[in-house]
Amino acid sequence: MIIFPFGFYILEGKRPIYMGNDIEAQRTVRAWIEANPTTVHLRLDVIGLVQVSTRFLGCDESGRSAAMDHAPRLFATTFCEEGKSTVRRLYSDYDAALAGHAQLVEIERRRLL
């Protein structure tokens, strides 16, 4: 499977599907994200005042160059404390994003002990 480092994607199961790299692809992905909130939001855990959320982004928001030597970072896990995002980790694949989510949840649970 070829995954382009730039452009717009939807999620089919665990697999990102490349939609293109133009305005029409961007519009398509935005509409898909709005229509599929339960697919986009992979996990949400609330531990005390902390919220850990993992979601599919639809495009690479990492700010890295569009070189062809890396997979796009299409998933993000965000750690919010008192309404402020304090940690944001980006991932290239579904399973890595869920593993990162579980890791942040476990770190917070241990901190509360």
Side-chain angles (χ1 to χ4, degrees), residues 40-113:
V40 171
H41 296 279
L42 308 180
R43 293 283 188 278
L44 174 64
D45 284 285
V46 178
I47 306 127
L49 297 175
V50 169
Q51 180 177 336
V52 180
S53 173
T54 298
R55 61 187 302 265
F56 174 73
L57 301 173
C59 64
D60 188 333
E61 297 178 358
S62 68
R64 300 180 305 163
S65 72
M68 295 299 286
D69 63 348
H70 65 271
R73 306 254 172 112
L74 299 174
F75 302 88
T77 297
T78 306
F79 183 96
C80 294
E81 193 166 12
E82 298 179 12
K84 296 178 185 172
S85 177
T86 57
V87 175
R88 186 169 192 231
R89 295 181 180 176
L90 299 173
Y91 303 93
S92 297
D93 69 74
Y94 187 99
D95 291 328
L98 293 184
H101 179 99
Q103 182 183 40
L104 284 177
V105 168
E106 183 60 30
I107 289 168
E108 182 58 19
R109 285 189 176 141
R110 276 192 250 135
R111 189 178 74 88
L112 291 176
L113 293 178

